[in-house]
Amino acid sequence: KDSIRNVGIAGRIGGDEFLILLDKTDESDIRNIARNIRIGIQWSITAAEPSSIVTCSMGIARFPANAKNYDELFNIADKCLYIAKDKGRNCYIIYKPELHDEIIVNRKKNENAISSGEFLKSAAKSEREIIRALSGEGKIDTAIEMLRSYMGVNKITVYDEHFSVTHECETLTQESQEKHGDIRAERLKEPKEYFKFFNKFGFLHLDNTNTFETLDKKTFDMYRGASISSTLEVKSEKSLICMDLYHPARTFPKEKIIFALLASSLICERIEKPGSAC
């Protein structure tokens, strides 16, 4: 209400879902209001509860440019909301058919593949191969590269208990690798500060590292300096495993997060086991 003032109305339509109706249809006005809402939520909640990271995603459609009635308008906005989530959350999408229609169609295809079992069949095969590789006696670098490819991330870095890099797999060129280097080295000199945002299960999942801009400036600058937009970091007693995605930001599917946590535990067991083939 503070953001939209007298140019519209807002109300809750679900547990964590809100609907806003604006009198304004000028794109610059819409962007200003959406930006104020996004920043307002992020600042007000995280300021009150620093250990929580709360953001909002928005899908926006306009009448009559995009739809002829309310139901069509709502459906388009709803689809754009999920595009915003897929792009890494903490953003807004204003519907433009030339940009978003293909994304909506492909998203529907993926949903059909999941419900029909086609996705499960292909994913299960890949996951079995990775688990066998991580559990076997072969080179662990090969298994980590298989995991990196399956997760669709740019880089996986494995640290030992002293936070020295023991393994890394990256898609970048040698020149780019040298530019990035060990981007966490400086922050890991203060482990208590670095791990304060990890949850009680020992991992940190960020679909959009921009959320750290108001939480921890040093960590935000670290991510921004290395162009890391999304990350999944898993800590055990003697290891730290970081899976990084460079721009643009992207949401990690829940089923892949669960598998990544399982795979990370196998990596930790493997490298912490005396005499293991690494």
Side-chain angles (χ1 to χ4, degrees):
K1 289 179 179 178
D2 288 342
S3 297
I4 64 176
R5 298 188 183 278
N6 62 347
V7 295
I9 58 174
R12 185 194 300 271
I13 59 172
D16 63 347
E17 294 186 330
F18 295 82
L19 179 66
I20 298 170
L21 298 176
L22 294 176
D23 295 330
K24 298 267 187 179
T25 57
D26 181 81
E27 187 166 320
S28 62
D29 291 333
I30 295 172
R31 288 185 181 277
N32 285 334
I33 292 170
R35 191 179 298 113
N36 288 339
I37 292 171
R38 181 180 65 80
I39 295 174
I41 287 176
Q42 184 176 339
W43 269 92
S44 60
I45 296 178
T46 54
E49 189 63 41
S51 61
S52 298
I53 298 175
V54 180
T55 61
C56 72
S57 304
M58 290 171 273
I60 301 166
R62 289 175 285 181
F63 175 87
N66 303 142
K68 298 178 181 178
N69 56 56
Y70 167 78
D71 288 336
E72 289 180 5
L73 195 70
F74 181 91
N75 286 332
I76 292 173
D78 191 52
K79 287 181 172 67
C80 287
L81 164 65
Y82 284 97
I83 293 175
K85 289 183 177 182
D86 288 343
K87 286 178 71 67
R89 303 175 186 268
N90 198 29
C91 65
Y92 58 87
I93 296 293
I94 300 175
Y95 174 70
K96 295 182 178 179
E98 68 275 14
L99 295 177
H100 303 124
D101 279 353
E102 185 176 354
I103 296 175
I104 291 171
V105 170
N106 289 335
R107 200 173 193 280
K108 184 62 178 177
K109 287 180 180 178
N110 289 336
E111 290 175 355
N112 291 339
I114 291 172
S115 61
S116 68
E118 180 183 339
F119 176 82
L120 174 62
K121 183 178 178 180
S122 60
K125 180 181 178 182
S126 298
E127 291 180 356
R128 284 198 303 268
E129 291 175 350
I130 293 170
I131 289 174
R132 279 198 295 266
L134 288 173
S135 305
E137 297 300 323
K139 288 288 185 182
I140 195 171
D141 283 338
T142 302
I144 294 175
E145 170 55 29
M146 291 171 65
L147 177 62
R148 186 208 61 73
S149 178
Y150 177 69
M151 289 296 297
V153 296
N154 295 101
K155 184 176 183 179
I156 294 182
T157 309
V158 181
Y159 297 83
D160 63 16
E161 59 186 312
H162 304 295
F163 305 121
S164 296
V165 176
T166 60
H167 303 82
E168 60 181 358
C169 294
E170 191 167 9
T171 57
L172 301 179
T173 62
Q174 184 64 37
E175 181 181 351
S176 297
Q177 288 182 27
E178 292 171 357
K179 175 186 174 183
H180 283 81
D182 179 14
I183 59 102
R184 291 177 173 84
E186 194 63 31
R187 293 295 292 125
L188 286 171
K189 291 178 181 178
E190 303 174 294
K192 187 175 180 180
E193 285 296 306
Y194 189 85
F195 294 118
K196 69 180 180 181
F197 292 105
F198 279 51
N199 62 28
K200 64 180 180 179
F201 302 106
F203 71 90
L204 172 69
H205 164 224
L206 291 174
D207 284 327
N208 194 327
T209 55
N210 284 340
T211 56
F212 261 76
E213 186 173 6
T214 57
L215 297 178
D216 188 314
K217 192 65 166 58
K218 289 182 179 178
T219 301
F220 171 72
D221 289 340
M222 176 196 76
Y223 287 132
R224 184 174 61 177
S227 300
I228 295 174
S229 59
S230 309
T231 187
L232 177 62
E233 305 178 19
V234 186
K235 186 183 184 304
S236 71
E237 289 186 9
K238 296 183 178 181
S239 306
L240 171 65
I241 300 168
C242 303
M243 305 182 192
D244 298 325
L245 179 73
Y246 302 131
H247 289 294
R250 194 192 69 221
T251 300
F252 290 104
K254 289 181 180 178
E255 62 275 6
K256 283 200 172 186
I257 292 175
I258 294 171
F259 178 73
L261 295 176
L262 169 63
S264 295
S265 68
L266 291 175
I267 294 173
C268 292
E269 289 176 9
R270 178 84 176 271
I271 64 177
E272 293 169 13
K273 182 180 177 182
S276 63
C278 291

